[in-house]
Structures are given as C-alpha cells and as structure tokens.
Amino acid sequence: PPDPGCEPWCRDGNGRLRLESPGCIRSLDDPQPSLLDLLKEIQYAYCPCPRGDAARIATADALAQHERDHHARVLARGISAAQLPPSLCRYTLDDETERTRVVERLRQYQQSERASGINLLLTGDVGVRKTTWATAILRDDLAMGRSGLFVVVARFLAKLRASYGAGSTTDEQQASEYQQVQDAIARDLLVLDDLPMLTEWGRGILFLILNERESWQRPTIMTSNLSVEDLEISLGKRAYDRFRAGAVDQETGVSYALDIRGQSQRGRRS
C-alpha cells in the first residue's frame, strides 16, 4: 500500500518521477553524445517513501553499471585500434606495489607530464619490464578515450618494407608507406618498443615520425635494450639529442630518460 506521505504521482508508481529535461544545446562541432552522456542528463524526482529510497538506489546502481560498461567499451576499442597485444593489456601502474625511484618517476610521468608532450625513454637490461611499464601508461591513455599506437620498431619497419613487394606500383608503395607513417604521427601517444640498431633507411623513417610528433607536441615513449652510446648511433645524433631533450621537463629539469638495470623479471610475474 502507498505510504500516507507519498507524493500523488507515487501512489501507484515506482517511487520516482522522470522530470522534463531542459535539453542540452550542443554545438555542431561537439561529438555525438554517448548513451552514458544521455543517461546522465535524465533527472528524476524521488518520493520520500521507502519505494522512493529504493528507486534512488536502483537508479544510481544502474547508472554506475552503465558507466563501467561504457569505460570497458572505450578501453576495448582503444586497445584494438592501438594494436596492443592481449598479453600487454592487463597491467597498470596501479598494480605496482613497489615504490622504487623508477616507479615513482613513471607515475609522475603518467599523471602529468605526457599531457605536456614530454617524451619517455626507457633503456636498460633485457627483461626489466620496460615494455610492461610503457604499455601500462599507454593503456591508461586508451582508457580515457585518447588514441594510441603500440609499435615494435623492427616489425613496423618490416611491414613498411613489405609494402614494396612485387606487383605494387610506385604510387601504391608511396601511399601505403605514407598512411602507416602518418598513422604513427597522428596518435595521441606512440610507443616505439624495442628500438634496434637501425639502417640508414630506418633511421630516416624514425626521424620523420619523431620530428613531426615533436612539432605537434605529441608524446612518444621509446624502449630499447641498446646502450646509450648505441642508441645515439642507431637514431643518429640529431634525432637522439632532440628526443632526449624532449624527455626533460623544461620547468623542473626532471628527466624522463630512465636507464633501468637489474635481473630479468621474465617468468617471475604475470
């Protein structure tokens, strides 16, 4: 039976009344609103009776579930578009329990610096989790709806080489190379993983990508097992100096060129 103190509209209802929405005026340049955005715009009045209290809780729970589902879809789409392998999708920096100097610097970069277009350079021994940390930062960006791309450098260059296969015309080859290079330039965050010793041709491709991204203040994360000396030879002095300079916060002087040493962690943790 209805509560004597019920609102008139609650006597035979479910404890809530949908209010007339004033609507939201959007610019033609605004993105199409998501289902979650539309649900958040709906307003209800709740009766002070137990049914109203239950309806308030149920509405909040339903909206929270829609929000979780929305973020899961955004992340899934981002991971697919970023070509991030499943084995590298599970880890986040929030899972890191150790508070080492490297981890704290990575968290600082994740929370503020990459939004300023600052680069991150991770060099060091094999198996010290350079790729794991780089992709954890990328995953965080993808979860917030930003675009990203994960590139194993040797595979990326081999794919470019393959575009010059038999049967392709010069125009087709140039169009394919341009599209792939432009895609790497345009993403909000680019991870260049496992940089090897480059040929002159590969060095030219990487310089083009890094130079354009720097011009647009788009951050790049690079990992490599090469020593600092070999990395400079691989990229070329000009590209290396510019990338390393781009990994320094000019206001604080903090460097995000991190050389990580230690025993291999492969096989020790998921």
Side-chain angles (χ1 to χ4, degrees):
D3 189 289
C6 274
E7 298 287 349
W9 45 262
C10 181
R11 298 301 171 108
D12 298 312
N14 60 4
R16 73 178 186 183
L17 174 68
R18 180 169 175 172
L19 302 177
E20 288 295 327
S21 174
C24 181
I25 300 176
R26 294 186 173 86
S27 164
L28 292 176
D29 295 329
D30 289 344
Q32 186 71 17
S34 67
L35 173 61
L36 180 62
D37 293 329
L38 296 175
L39 289 174
K40 285 182 175 180
E41 291 177 5
I42 299 175
Q43 298 181 4
Y44 293 98
Y46 295 95
C47 186
C49 71
R51 282 189 300 184
D53 293 338
R56 187 191 304 275
I57 294 172
T59 301
D61 288 346
L63 185 59
Q65 184 60 53
H66 276 293
E67 191 157 10
R68 288 191 292 270
D69 292 344
H70 171 77
H71 290 313
R73 288 191 295 270
V74 168
L75 178 59
R77 286 195 297 266
I79 286 173
S80 177
Q83 301 174 34
L84 192 59
S87 61
L88 297 174
C89 296
R90 297 186 294 269
Y91 182 77
T92 72
L93 285 182
D94 290 338
D95 299 322
E96 187 59 64
T97 57
E98 299 179 8
R99 297 180 64 86
T100 64
R101 180 187 66 85
V102 170
V103 171
E104 290 306 304
R105 189 67 58 83
L106 290 170
R107 283 184 173 142
Q108 184 179 353
Y109 179 82
Q110 180 189 45
Q111 292 166 5
S112 59
E113 302 295 2
R114 75 185 186 286
S116 303
I118 295 175
N119 298 326
L120 174 64
L121 176 61
L122 301 176
T123 59
D125 298 325
V126 174
V128 292
R129 305 177 68 213
K130 300 184 296 295
T131 299
T132 299
W133 282 328
T135 53
I137 294 172
L138 173 60
R139 185 187 185 279
D140 185 64
D141 261 30
L142 300 176
M144 290 187 285
R146 300 189 182 109
S147 65
L149 184 64
F150 174 76
V151 166
V152 178
V153 177
R155 187 171 62 211
F156 175 74
L157 295 176
K159 187 176 179 181
L160 284 182
R161 284 283 193 191
S163 67
Y164 288 84
S168 298
T169 67
T170 300
D171 289 344
E172 289 173 342
Q173 293 163 355
Q174 292 176 346
S176 177
E177 180 177 318
Y178 174 82
Q179 184 177 13
Q180 294 178 68
V181 170
Q182 190 61 35
D183 190 32
I185 292 170
R187 303 294 182 108
D188 293 330
L189 180 63
L190 173 66
V191 174
L192 295 172
D193 188 47
D194 201 12
L195 185 83
M197 189 61 72
L198 298 171
T199 64
E200 183 177 354
W201 172 78
R203 189 177 302 123
I205 295 293
L206 264 292
F207 178 79
L208 173 61
I209 292 172
L210 295 174
N211 186 62
E212 285 294 307
R213 290 187 62 79
E214 181 183 7
S215 297
W216 289 97
Q217 294 185 309
R218 294 172 182 145
T220 302
I221 300 176
M222 184 186 298
T223 76
S224 181
N225 297 328
L226 296 177
S227 66
V228 171
E229 294 77 13
D230 286 342
L231 190 60
E232 182 175 339
I233 294 172
S234 178
L235 283 173
K237 182 172 177 55
R238 181 173 59 160
Y240 174 76
D241 286 348
R242 291 180 68 174
F243 186 84
R244 194 176 177 91
V248 176
D249 185 326
Q250 299 302 317
E251 294 184 1
T252 64
V254 174
S255 173
Y256 292 91
L258 307 178
D259 191 47
I260 306 167
R261 298 295 165 182
Q263 294 182 339
S264 175
Q265 300 297 307
R266 290 178 180 169
R268 298 189 180 189
R269 61 187 293 170
S270 57

